[in-house]
Amino acid sequence: MSRVYNFSAGPAAVPVDVLKKAQQEMLEWHDSGMSVMEMSHRGKDFISIAEKAEADVRELMNVPENYKVLFLQGGATTQFSMVPMNLLRGKDKTCYVNTGAWSKKAIKEAKIHSNVHISASSESTNFTTIPAVDSWDVDQNAAYLHYTSNETIGGVEFHSIPDVGDIDLVADMSSNILSREFDVSKFGVIYAGGQKNMGPSGIALTIVREDLIGNVKAGSPSMMDYKNHADAGSMFNTPATYSWYLMGLVFEWIKEQGGVSAIEAQNVRKAEKLYAAIDNSDFYANPVELTSRSRMNIPFTLANAELEGLFLSEAKSAGLVTLKGHRSVGGMRASIYNAMPEEGVDALISMMAEFERTKA
Amino acid sequence: MSRVYNFSAGPAAVPVDVLKKAQQEMLEWHDSGMSVMEMSHRGKDFISIAEKAEADVRELMNVPENYKVLFLQGGATTQFSMVPMNLLRGKDKTCYVNTGAWSKKAIKEAKIHSNVHISASSESTNFTTIPAVDSWDVDQNAAYLHYTSNETIGGVEFHSIPDVGDIDLVADMSSNILSREFDVSKFGVIYAGGQKNMGPSGIALTIVREDLIGNVKAGSPSMMDYKNHADAGSMFNTPATYSWYLMGLVFEWIKEQGGVSAIEAQNVRKAEKLYAAIDNSDFYANPVELTSRSRMNIPFTLANAELEGLFLSEAKSAGLVTLKGHRSVGGMRASIYNAMPEEGVDALISMMAEFERTKA
């Protein structure tokens, strides 16, 4: 078949221009005589690729000079551990906000290292809301407060950065980094797995304020210490070179689209039209409270759940794939990250309307 | 320029047929409509890729059924920590053999978690030998004995598996896995980073006997526990999917070459002819004791060190690159892993002879 519109929650669609560039350079990068994946990470060619990727993401996110940008292995799940192991600084207590499946995983991991205080939770609404920030119970003596800026399963998203006072703010931005503008200076640590808005899995981006580096818990493996990675320019061990290169191609592509503000405008448009199609139908429904809806992951149900299998097969015939919802929520889910073109969303909306008209 | 012969120690040359296959499938894998890097790791397409890679490496290495094969992130450096964190099983002491730079890194990391006893060391010969196994001081009450089966910097290699009695044997095979036959049943754990004989960096293969799984040290991050990865088929978190796929293509390529025994015969031939060229010259020299010489990494010096720069530039003109030796050893180093064709070694030998004839 030809290329489809892929609504996977992650690993997810990659911009086709990025894939074409990678394809073109696969056997030989520029005049190096070799593929990027064959290059020594200590050689000048790979160093130039690595440095350009860092410079581009610093420019795209307007990262202040007193923050390190790290390209690490092990995904967000490793960051779930590295955050408490590096940020406790002798304290015992941490604050977490629970907005769904990914928050819960971060909390579970933090409990291995700290006394976790849940500052707020939307469990009582079955994770269909973002708890109002003025209701949060933030212990200013905790080491930091952690939240998940977008939840891929529930489909909820923070639409502003919570003001939590003087405590260091940590965000898992795995599923909405680079999809909207963020003021990095408001955070102690930002981290994100690569496989949603930055390219392949197997590489994570961590942005950490310099004063938070150098305090790893005694007895931690060297790989868990931000300082080792920061001091070595993310080459404390052999980095995931090819994934780093692919991430750099995605950063270039975002710049070509006009940067994060232009991408954000596209994302607003894509999400608004899909939500409108759902809301204007009696057949489709999204359970999330209006102001908490995610621009990235849009779960929706069919009025008749018995038609789900037929919906998926009709969608696939129309070149629209990976729409099955997460088992814990059911129904459908359209993940529409940066790389999903507006035409893909339009095609989904058309197919949904046609399905409702003919099969509902 | 056209493709070169790349003698990098790692990341290193990848078989050109593997790169061509990856290039061809970059925009669309089979009839999936998407690149492998865009696939959900939970979907049937990626699962088929992952399972085939595991089946192929099990076949290639003749892995017994009571061993798990794990595809992990974080490279060998993360395994330096995971080995003691999982294998101590309440013990305090571990045994390590020190044959060079990589052994030392493993030892440094193990000291964070255990009382390391050095069973043998070749430091007194400046790491140009492998200590005779009958001289090793092995404490049978230690949790395990660890050695590095090939050292990329010193260029020494074990040519048989050491018999250490009943203690569990652990090997870092990063630089010679799949280059020669190993009897996996003699090991408790084998691990290797991907970027020398298996493809890209950013993925490590760990082969662990099942009875050694499930004993992680209390307080360890979940990502450091072999059990979590084993129970989830290496999908405890989102794996490095594209790197896993590339590794699978390398496994297919090795099978097409006739398997490990055929690759080993090639490797013996390649190494023997390069060592012969060095030994038969008064201009080039290799410092390693004859029976300890590596088939993978061949360091050599020039009688006149002032000619090193000229040698490297003449080599580059001949399409032979990344030959500069590690700074700690100096001189040159030719890394000739599985993916280096015999013609590449022949081209290097010709260039060396011509250089000696005209410039020495």
Side-chain angles (χ1 to χ4, degrees), chain A residues 245-272:
Chain A
Y245 153 76
L246 290 166
M247 206 181 238
L249 293 183
V250 173
F251 298 154
E252 277 180 19
W253 176 83
I254 296 174
K255 287 175 71 177
E256 287 160 16
Q257 307 309 300
V260 176
S261 61
I263 283 276
E264 179 169 1
Q266 279 178 37
N267 287 331
V268 168
R269 228 169 29 238
K270 283 153 51 183
E272 281 183 351

Side-chain angles (χ1 to χ4, degrees), chain A residues 1-6 8 10-16 19-20 22-28 30-42 44 72-78 81 85 102 105 108-109 112-113 195-196 199-203 217 219-224 236-243 246 316 321-322 327, chain B residues 1-6 8 10-16 19-20 22-28 30-42 44 72-78 81 85 102 105 108-109 112-113 195-196 199-203 217 219-224 236-243 246 316 321-322 327:
Chain A
M1 68 200 297
S2 56
R3 276 184 59 82
V4 295
Y5 291 118
N6 174 17
S8 174
V14 172
V16 68
L19 295 172
K20 285 180 177 167
Q23 182 178 48
Q24 177 201 325
E25 296 179 337
M26 178 61 85
L27 268 76
E28 186 179 357
H30 296 192
D31 62 347
S32 67
M34 65 182 77
S35 176
V36 172
M37 81 180 77
E38 302 178 291
M39 292 176 182
S40 167
H41 56 300
R42 306 286 185 200
K44 69 174 173 42
L72 304 177
Q73 296 182 53
T77 304
T78 297
S81 303
M85 290 170 95
W102 291 103
K105 285 180 190 247
K108 188 177 172 195
E109 205 59 36
I112 294 174
H113 306 287
Q195 67 269 20
K196 296 162 199 295
S201 62
I203 188 161
K217 191 176 136 184
S220 299
S222 301
M223 284 290 281
M224 306 302 281
F236 173 67
N237 71 326
T238 309
T241 53
Y242 195 68
S243 302
L246 290 166
K316 190 172 180 184
V321 306
T322 335
R327 64 187 179 281
Chain B
M1 68 198 300
S2 55
R3 276 185 59 84
V4 294
Y5 291 118
N6 174 17
S8 174
V14 172
V16 68
L19 294 173
K20 284 180 178 167
Q23 181 178 49
Q24 178 201 323
E25 295 178 338
M26 177 61 84
L27 267 76
E28 187 178 359
H30 297 193
D31 63 348
S32 68
M34 64 183 77
S35 177
V36 173
M37 82 180 75
E38 302 177 291
M39 291 177 181
S40 168
H41 57 299
R42 306 286 184 198
K44 70 174 174 38
L72 304 177
Q73 296 182 53
T77 304
T78 297
S81 302
M85 290 170 94
W102 291 104
K105 285 180 190 247
K108 186 176 174 197
E109 205 60 35
I112 294 174
H113 306 287
Q195 67 269 21
K196 294 158 200 299
S201 61
I203 188 161
K217 190 176 138 186
S220 299
S222 301
M223 285 290 282
M224 306 302 283
F236 172 66
N237 71 326
T238 309
T241 52
Y242 195 69
S243 303
L246 290 166
K316 190 173 181 186
V321 306
T322 335
R327 62 187 179 282

Side-chain angles (χ1 to χ4, degrees), chain B residues 193-326:
Chain B
Q195 67 269 21
K196 294 158 200 299
N197 275 313
M198 298 187 288
S201 61
I203 188 161
L205 195 75
T206 296
I207 303 173
V208 51
R209 211 177 61 229
E210 286 175 349
D211 64 280
L212 296 175
I213 296 173
N215 308 290
V216 79
K217 190 176 138 186
S220 299
S222 301
M223 285 290 282
M224 306 302 283
D225 186 351
Y226 285 141
K227 187 172 195 309
N228 288 329
H229 297 289
D231 287 352
S234 301
M235 297 195 189
F236 172 66
N237 71 326
T238 309
T241 52
Y242 195 69
S243 303
W244 191 332
Y245 154 76
L246 290 166
M247 205 181 237
L249 293 184
V250 173
F251 297 154
E252 279 181 19
W253 176 83
I254 296 175
K255 287 176 70 177
E256 287 161 14
Q257 306 310 300
V260 175
S261 62
I263 282 276
E264 179 168 2
Q266 279 178 37
N267 286 331
V268 168
R269 229 171 27 241
K270 282 152 52 182
E272 280 182 351
K273 65 167 77 168
L274 183 49
Y275 281 117
I278 293 167
D279 291 345
N280 293 334
S281 148
D282 292 329
F283 183 66
Y284 302 107
N286 168 280
V288 179
E289 186 265 329
L290 290 183
T291 63
S292 305
R293 283 173 159 183
S294 168
R295 292 175 186 161
M296 299 283 102
N297 310 94
I298 304 184
F300 59 93
T301 52
L302 278 53
N304 178 357
E306 287 179 4
L307 291 176
E308 287 179 1
L310 184 63
F311 181 92
L312 288 167
S313 70
E314 299 268 317
K316 190 173 181 186
S317 300
L320 309 167
V321 306
T322 335
L323 280 160
K324 191 171 164 56
H326 191 272

Side-chain angles (χ1 to χ4, degrees), chain B residues 125-142:
Chain B
T125 69
N126 198 25
F127 301 116
T128 59
T129 56
I130 295 291
V133 177
D134 57 14
S135 73
W136 294 8
D137 177 22
V138 182
D139 182 340
Q140 293 294 329
N141 292 316

